[in-house]
Amino acid sequence: MGEKMSRRPYAQECPRATWYFKRPRYMRYMAREVTCIFIGAYTLMLLVGLLRLSQGQAQYEDFLMALRQPASVAFHIVALAFSLYHTFTWFNVAPKALPIQVGEEIWPDSVVASAHYVVWAVLSLVILFWAGVI
Amino acid sequence: METIKTDVAIIGAGGAGLRAAIALAEADPKLRIALISKVYPMRSHTCAAEGGAAGVIKPDDSFDHHFHDTVGGGDWLCDQDAVEYFIHEAPKELLQLEHWGCPWNREQDGSVAVRPFGGMKIQRTWFAADKSGFHILHTLFQTSLQFPNIQRFDEYYATDLLVDDGRCQGFTAIEMRSGQMRRFDAKAMIIAGGGAGRMFPFNTNGAINTGDGMALAYRAGVPLKDMEFVQYHPTGLPNTGTLLTEACRSEGGVLLNKDEYRFLQDYGMGPETPKGKPVLKTMELGPRDRVSQSIWHEIQKGRAVKTPWGDCVWLDMRHLGEKKIDERLPFVRDICISYLGIDPVHEMVPIRPVMHYMMGGIHTDTNAATPLPGLFAAGECACVSINGANRLGSNSLVEILVFGRRAALSAASFAVGVKPGNEAALAAQAEASQARLRELFMRSSGKERVAGLRKEMTDTMEEGAGIYRTQEGLDKSCNKISELRRRYQDITLHDKTNVYNTDLLSALELGNMLDCAEALVMSGRERKESRGAHQRLDYTARDDVKYLKHSMAYFKGLEAPRIDYRDVVITKSPPGVRDYSGAKK
Amino acid sequence: MTENRMGARQVELEVLRYNPETDQEPRYQRYSVPCKNEWCVLDALNYLKDNIDPTLAYRWSCHMQVCGSCGMMLNGEPKLACKAFVRDYPGVIRIEPLTHFPIERDLVTVADDFMAKLKRVKPYLIPAEKRSIEEGEYRQTPAQLTRYRKYAMCINCMLCYAACPEYGLTKSKFIGPAAITLAHRYNQDSRDGGRDERQEEIATNEGVWECSFVGACSDVCPKHVDPASALQQVKIASTVDWYLEHFMSWVKK
């Protein structure tokens, strides 16, 4: 039993740039976080659309023409895909933040998650109806 | 050597140790309290206890009932003055835990719920699902965090007591992470180091239950009392020995032999009660020693269920239904599925008796004081004795609270006015302790290895000190353990590192287990009767004339211990017959 | 008793070793261990230690998933060694100490930071009303017990700290999942009145606001405590508190 201090704890580093490659669940998390870029970009585009609308019919129709370009269509498809991923992942974890307890039972996660999907579907139908699409 | 000075030192931070620390901190905020443990407190084996803790609280219950259940359950080897104190303190301690936040199960009206348990006439076992020990331990540990005068020394392994001037004055311990030895000077000490089940090959105990606390006191001259009384819990998994709580039976589970017959009725615990509606203190709710012994007999008679892991009987809980099992026995279900691949909701579970608890231990009086002034003990490592020859389930989880607190009050009272000891004498003892350790550490020529000796020890304990014992078996084990203790002097370590040396710790733990094992088999050999958990095929009757006494084993170095006897304190309940038949009910 | 639990197999273990007295850095050592199919990884380690290499250091005790000692990384995933079964690992099993903690020796980590974090969040009952022992128990209905019981199941195994990238990336500044969950357990207990005191520690930048809901903690928790949900609930409660305090101070929380 030596008297000298021989402890030398070894610090395990978490690599800042590459930690999320280690497990699939971290990649899925990063994908979820990255969706906000596309949602942000789409929101900006909507704001630009509102601005054009306020500037007059000609400006607005130019804007709509731009939307029909292939690049724009591609962007919309990608943004929609990311928005759906964003939405579904958040709907699925919403029950964790909002546990509903009735008596001694806690409602299963699927109930709260399903409620989100149902409300989303109903609101979508209402908007589509109101916009004259259906 | 660095010396830490404190007022009261507690070795062991399980239920008893933590309860003692809190009691000391509450009694006097200026008291310096050192809480030492070889593991972080949450790892203490209290966490594995499942069933519950007994305390009289319901209007249909009485202290008298709890008293008689305990004394009869202990086959009259309990000290009745201690039992009297214990049962009165029990409900107060359980309420105190509730006030500290323990999540006891509740009735619909918000009051604490109780469940039936083995050997008890009235339901009085408080429970927190089937993780009562876990919740008790965590409640105590978390409560202890609010007291700044409790200083914890986590992962320190105590090696020797320092005794001078006729009293216990401290101890030496290894700081496991650095391998450095430290000396602790204390005005009073409490040992709460737990049991020694790892002496046996097949047990419910954790790796840490190696009798360190018992051996510390034993080697300092304190007798170990009633060591031969070892409890076999009836329902353990046949492959890992993992505990399935007694609550499986108190909630309605039944034991069946290979013909699916409820065999307990053949062993004085009948008549058969309706399946799923257990009647207290009979059939599956008989005391643990009787139930384990009955299973042993069924196996001897060839009526056991053959499994890949040996002979078993069935524990059938299917009739309880999934809802009840998930509410009352979720952990049990988890364990069965995890380790056996069997879901108790749908299938019967093979089980067999497994070594579980030591009724014996460090001799203390009702105030938790050992014969060595300044040294106190509480919990499974101590023997007051309230458990006698056989412990009732759910008495232990409350024993640790009652006597943890009692030891604290006694230690605090003793510590008042204690003068500092003789520095030269204490330093010399500490140096000697370190020298012994250094010698073991540096030894390079010895032929023995820890794992090899440990296996030989557990094998002989199983053979000689099982559920049923014989003169021949005990003789053989006594000789074998004595031989192993001599060969232990020749042990050599593979690991020569200072930092976190688990090889060294295993070797020290083995030494402690061998000391406890010798006290156990020697006491067992001398007790020529059958009582409670000590059953002999050659002396089948209880002998109150010669043996209504506690066995006391005194350490004699490498020689076998001296066995002496001490009268049992009888007050209200003269020795009677243990009747677990349902006939008179 | 399913068939695939019987039988035996030679299992390769790739174990991280680190001896601060002789090693500059951790290294790996390969062992071949004869295992029964029903064994858990802890059984394999115990066989290794008893029969092949007694110098390997690791923590374990209960072998029944309740003491929390045997947390380690198995093929990069934080697990309890007594809850991981060799039959679920067809190839080599890589065994390393829990990540994000300093390594003391071999598979033993330094747990000081975790113990300090536990203490910091005041994880004990601060009663809303005083009550003496003579007055009996606080009344608590089964429904009230359900509100917090799940969060009281934590065995302090630290798997969630190994899984949490925030804990790793903030170099342990984050208070972490288990500690905050334990605070939440007391906040939810009907007998408790200490929420404000705990919020000061946990509703902070080092507390819940460091959490970005990766959710890995709940994924790896062996006792289904769901720390992620506890943290989000603390975030919501903390936000509501803030609004009430700043805009509706006449409303008692």
Side-chain angles (χ1 to χ4, degrees):
Chain A
M1 309 298 298
E3 285 299 336
K4 68 174 173 64
M5 286 301 291
S6 42
R7 285 187 69 209
R8 199 159 46 85
Y10 183 85
Q12 299 191 73
E13 295 297 328
C14 186
R16 286 210 90 80
T18 54
W19 64 269
Y20 39 87
F21 288 120
K22 276 198 269 181
R23 317 290 306 164
R25 77 160 70 87
Y26 297 140
M27 292 293 288
R28 285 195 294 275
Y29 162 75
M30 288 307 271
R32 187 189 84 198
E33 298 294 289
V34 158
T35 62
C36 69
I37 297 176
F38 290 86
I39 291 173
Y42 188 76
T43 311
L44 268 177
M45 196 211 67
L46 281 179
L47 287 174
V48 167
L50 278 175
L51 178 65
R52 292 284 173 258
L53 192 59
S54 73
Q55 287 171 337
Q57 174 138 15
Q59 299 276 37
Y60 186 61
E61 295 207 343
D62 281 346
F63 174 73
L64 290 177
M65 281 294 294
L67 285 184
R68 291 193 188 97
Q69 300 309 307
S72 161
V73 171
F75 166 75
H76 275 77
I77 291 172
V78 173
L80 179 62
F82 273 106
S83 292
L84 286 172
Y85 183 73
H86 177 104
T87 306
F88 294 159
T89 49
W90 281 110
F91 279 4
N92 290 339
V93 295
K96 288 197 187 289
L98 300 167
I100 299 186
Q101 181 180 336
V102 173
E104 286 176 55
E105 299 294 317
I106 299 183
W107 284 4
D109 284 1
S110 51
V111 170
V112 178
S114 307
H116 282 74
Y117 284 102
V118 164
V119 169
W120 171 67
V122 165
L123 282 176
S124 302
L125 286 173
V126 165
I127 289 172
L128 287 171
F129 178 76
W130 191 42
V133 174
I134 53 167
Chain B
M1 187 188 304
E2 186 187 323
T3 302
I4 293 132
K5 293 196 190 299
T6 189
D7 294 324
V8 183
I10 306 170
I11 297 183
L18 284 167
R19 182 66 188 90
I22 295 170
L24 286 165
E26 282 190 321
D28 183 356
K30 293 195 299 301
L31 205 61
R32 290 171 303 171
I33 304 153
L35 181 58
I36 291 93
S37 170
K38 69 178 183 181
V39 292
Y40 286 99
M42 324 70 99
R43 318 295 183 217
S44 305
H45 208 57
T46 312
C47 72
E50 298 172 355
V56 172
I57 190 151
K58 294 299 182 193
D60 60 343
D61 200 1
S62 74
F63 289 119
D64 233 27
H65 280 137
H66 196 179
F67 177 87
H68 287 292
D69 286 341
T70 301
V71 171
D75 218 348
W76 280 275
L77 203 68
C78 315
D79 290 305
Q80 295 178 19
D81 55 344
V83 176
E84 195 72 56
Y85 172 74
F86 163 69
I87 54 169
H88 279 94
E89 291 299 304
K92 289 188 240 171
E93 285 300 314
L94 298 176
L95 277 170
Q96 177 62 83
L97 263 187
E98 192 274 329
H99 283 212
W100 284 332
C102 190
W104 297 117
N105 265 43
R106 304 282 178 159
E107 306 286 9
Q108 284 304 323
D109 68 355
S111 62
V112 167
V114 291
R115 62 157 49 131
F117 233 64
M120 305 230 180
K121 192 174 171 62
I122 312 267
Q123 296 189 37
R124 64 176 71 96
T125 297
W126 301 41
F127 62 105
D130 54 352
K131 297 182 77 164
S132 311
F134 166 80
H135 285 295
I136 290 174
L137 181 67
H138 280 248
T139 301
L140 286 171
F141 172 59
Q142 287 154 20
T143 302
S144 77
L145 293 175
Q146 65 189 285
F147 298 101
N149 55 337
I150 298 177
Q151 191 183 6
R152 280 207 334 271
F153 295 85
D154 297 326
E155 296 196 324
Y156 276 66
Y157 185 89
T159 45
D160 288 296
L161 293 182
L162 303 175
V163 179
D164 188 48
D165 196 26
R167 66 181 173 90
C168 180
Q169 303 208 27
F171 61 100
T172 49
I174 303 172
E175 183 193 26
M176 283 156 59
R177 65 166 80 179
S178 66
Q180 302 297 306
M181 185 171 265
R182 308 244 181 278
R183 178 180 127 202
F184 286 77
D185 287 353
K187 299 179 184 165
M189 278 187 58
I190 302 173
I191 296 187
R198 300 302 287 189
M199 294 186 288
F200 291 84
F202 201 62
N203 61 73
T204 66
N205 284 200
I208 58 180
N209 299 121
T210 51
D212 305 310
M214 290 183 191
L216 271 177
Y218 182 52
R219 286 196 297 267
V222 177
L224 293 181
K225 190 161 88 192
D226 292 341
M227 286 295 278
E228 65 270 40
F229 294 99
V230 162
Q231 183 167 80
Y232 278 79
H233 193 289
T235 54
L237 290 189
N239 54 351
T240 53
T242 308
L243 175 70
L244 294 185
T245 173
E246 188 158 286
C248 294
R249 287 170 282 137
S250 75
E251 297 292 346
V254 296
L255 294 173
L256 309 170
N257 67 11
K258 74 175 184 7
D259 303 314
E260 299 197 19
Y261 169 69
R262 282 173 70 189
F263 57 89
L264 290 178
Q265 59 192 291
D266 292 350
Y267 298 95
M269 283 179 275
E272 184 171 334
T273 52
K275 191 163 162 175
K277 294 194 191 323
V279 172
L280 284 141
K281 222 165 162 174
T282 181
M283 284 302 285
E284 279 84 5
L285 286 187
R288 289 176 183 177
D289 55 343
R290 286 286 173 88
V291 177
S292 291
Q293 287 151 20
S294 305
I295 297 175
W296 186 90
H297 281 294
E298 276 305 283
I299 293 175
Q300 296 304 308
K301 288 182 188 158
R303 300 210 281 255
V305 179
K306 301 276 177 215
T307 73
W309 312 285
D311 290 334
C312 297
V313 297
W314 293 120
L315 170 62
D316 188 2
M317 293 180 274
R318 296 172 298 180
H319 51 281
L320 302 182
E322 186 165 10
K323 186 162 187 294
K324 189 167 194 189
I325 291 181
D326 280 344
E327 184 200 313
R328 295 279 179 111
L329 302 168
F331 190 36
V332 163
R333 187 178 185 190
D334 243 348
I335 289 171
C336 291
I337 294 175
S338 240
Y339 295 113
L340 269 187
I342 291 176
D343 187 348
V345 171
H346 302 298
E347 294 176 72
M348 298 191 286
V349 184
I351 52 93
R352 70 161 183 228
V354 56
M355 189 275 164
H356 178 58
Y357 179 86
M358 307 214 28
M359 272 68 76
I362 302 171
H363 165 53
T364 73
D365 62 14
T366 307
N367 293 323
T370 70
L372 180 59
L375 185 66
F376 304 85
E380 187 175 348
C381 73
C383 183
V384 188
S385 160
I386 57 136
N387 295 313
N390 169 63
R391 174 175 73 76
L392 292 185
S394 73
N395 265 353
S396 173
L397 279 179
V398 68
E399 177 190 3
I400 60 183
L401 303 172
V402 169
F403 289 100
R405 177 173 168 274
R406 181 66 250 181
L409 298 179
S410 300
S413 166
F414 184 91
V416 171
V418 163
K419 303 278 188 300
N422 181 326
E423 173 60 33
L426 294 176
Q429 284 189 35
E431 289 302 320
S433 174
Q434 176 151 67
R436 276 194 297 277
L437 203 62
R438 203 175 269 134
E439 194 276 316
L440 164 63
F441 190 77
M442 307 293 258
R443 206 184 291 153
S444 53
S445 58
K447 298 181 301 297
E448 302 289 353
R449 297 285 182 254
V450 174
L453 285 187
R454 195 193 323 137
K455 174 106 187 20
E456 290 190 53
M457 172 188 69
T458 57
D459 283 345
T460 194
M461 293 304 281
E462 167 102 319
E463 278 174 39
I467 298 180
Y468 280 93
R469 300 153 178 186
T470 61
Q471 185 67 34
E472 191 194 329
L474 285 165
D475 279 339
K476 208 162 149 212
S477 291
C478 284
N479 292 336
K480 184 65 175 172
I481 296 288
S482 182
E483 173 206 322
L484 290 175
R485 288 188 70 221
R486 258 172 258 282
R487 284 165 58 194
Y488 177 77
Q489 305 304 309
D490 207 26
I491 263 199
T492 298
L493 304 179
H494 286 263
D495 189 354
K496 303 289 195 189
T497 316
N498 287 308
V499 173
Y500 218 97
N501 188 330
T502 50
D503 197 15
L504 170 66
L505 294 170
S506 299
L508 295 173
E509 287 171 339
L510 175 62
N512 290 336
M513 281 194 281
L514 285 169
D515 289 346
C516 292
E518 191 166 47
L520 196 161
V521 291
M522 286 293 297
S523 303
R525 182 167 74 174
E526 296 311 307
R527 182 175 289 270
K528 294 177 164 63
E529 65 154 357
S530 284
R531 181 186 298 265
H534 174 74
Q535 293 287 316
R536 292 185 60 153
L537 293 171
D538 46 1
Y539 296 93
T540 53
R542 194 177 81 193
D543 184 347
D544 287 336
V545 172
K546 287 227 290 274
Y547 291 107
L548 189 57
K549 297 177 199 297
H550 299 294
S551 313
M552 309 280 275
Y554 290 86
F555 184 70
K556 274 174 66 178
L558 268 185
E559 284 178 51
R562 171 174 69 88
I563 307 296
D564 204 347
Y565 291 92
R566 183 187 169 85
D567 283 331
V568 173
V569 176
I570 310 275
T571 57
K572 290 196 325 216
S573 173
V577 172
R578 295 171 80 203
D579 183 7
Y580 294 103
S581 72
K584 61 183 192 311
K585 297 185 176 75
Chain C
M1 285 155 277
T2 47
E3 282 310 307
N4 64 1
R5 283 167 185 266
M6 294 301 106
R9 182 182 128 217
Q10 202 71 13
V11 177
E12 299 291 296
L13 303 180
E14 179 99 348
V15 185
L16 187 143
R17 304 300 308 273
Y18 175 64
N19 183 335
E21 290 176 10
T22 58
D23 297 329
Q24 273 303 107
E25 291 196 336
R27 56 186 173 82
Y28 288 88
Q29 195 162 347
R30 178 75 72 110
Y31 301 96
S32 183
V33 177
C35 294
K36 298 196 181 134
N37 277 351
E38 64 179 12
W39 276 10
C40 52
V41 173
L42 180 60
D43 294 326
L45 283 173
N46 284 343
Y47 181 95
L48 194 169
K49 190 171 172 66
D50 279 350
N51 299 288
I52 304 174
D53 187 350
T55 68
L56 178 63
Y58 54 96
R59 295 183 173 118
W60 76 283
S61 185
C62 72
H63 195 298
M64 55 194 276
Q65 308 161 28
V66 76
C67 73
S69 306
C70 63
M72 43 187 87
M73 306 298 280
L74 301 180
N75 288 354
E77 186 77 358
K79 286 215 180 274
L80 295 179
C82 67
K83 201 181 177 183
F85 294 90
V86 295
R87 60 179 177 268
D88 296 327
Y89 294 88
V92 176
I93 311 180
R94 197 175 75 253
I95 306 179
E96 298 158 303
L98 282 182
T99 192
H100 302 157
F101 290 98
I103 309 177
E104 187 78 71
R105 166 101 195 263
D106 295 339
L107 301 173
V108 176
T109 55
V110 179
D112 294 7
D113 184 57
F114 175 75
M115 297 303 287
K117 298 258 165 64
L118 267 188
K119 187 167 174 167
R120 202 167 134 187
V121 301
K122 301 193 205 263
Y124 37 82
L125 198 74
I126 299 170
E129 283 169 26
K130 285 251 171 287
R131 202 177 171 89
S132 69
I133 302 289
E134 289 73 30
E135 292 175 272
E137 68 266 44
Y138 289 96
R139 293 281 157 141
Q140 181 171 78
T141 61
Q144 288 171 320
L145 181 57
T146 304
R147 270 191 89 220
Y148 70 89
R149 174 174 263 172
K150 185 166 79 152
Y151 306 116
M153 295 303 209
C154 174
I155 62 175
N156 297 0
C157 63
M158 297 178 256
L159 298 194
C160 53
Y161 285 71
C164 176
E166 297 292 350
Y167 184 68
L169 291 168
T170 58
K171 292 209 195 304
S172 314
K173 287 232 179 13
F174 180 32
I175 294 181
I180 298 177
T181 302
L182 195 52
H184 184 60
R185 167 255 180 277
Y186 282 101
N187 288 347
Q188 295 282 91
D189 192 324
S190 55
R191 302 166 285 190
D192 181 75
R195 200 169 80 88
D196 288 348
E197 283 184 61
R198 291 187 204 100
Q199 290 295 81
E200 277 174 33
E201 281 299 330
I202 64 175
T204 59
N205 284 338
E206 285 184 358
V208 282
W209 299 115
E210 191 63 66
C211 167
S212 59
F213 204 172
V214 176
C217 53
S218 289
D219 280 348
V220 304
C221 177
K223 308 311 278 185
H224 313 294
V225 175
D226 204 357
S229 78
L231 268 75
Q232 307 325 307
Q233 290 167 49
V234 173
K235 284 183 192 171
I236 292 178
S238 167
T239 309
V240 169
D241 281 351
W242 190 89
Y243 274 101
L244 285 177
E245 201 181 303
H246 287 84
F247 296 110
M248 292 169 70
S249 49
W250 64 87
V251 174
K252 265 183 95 62
K253 273 186 266 184

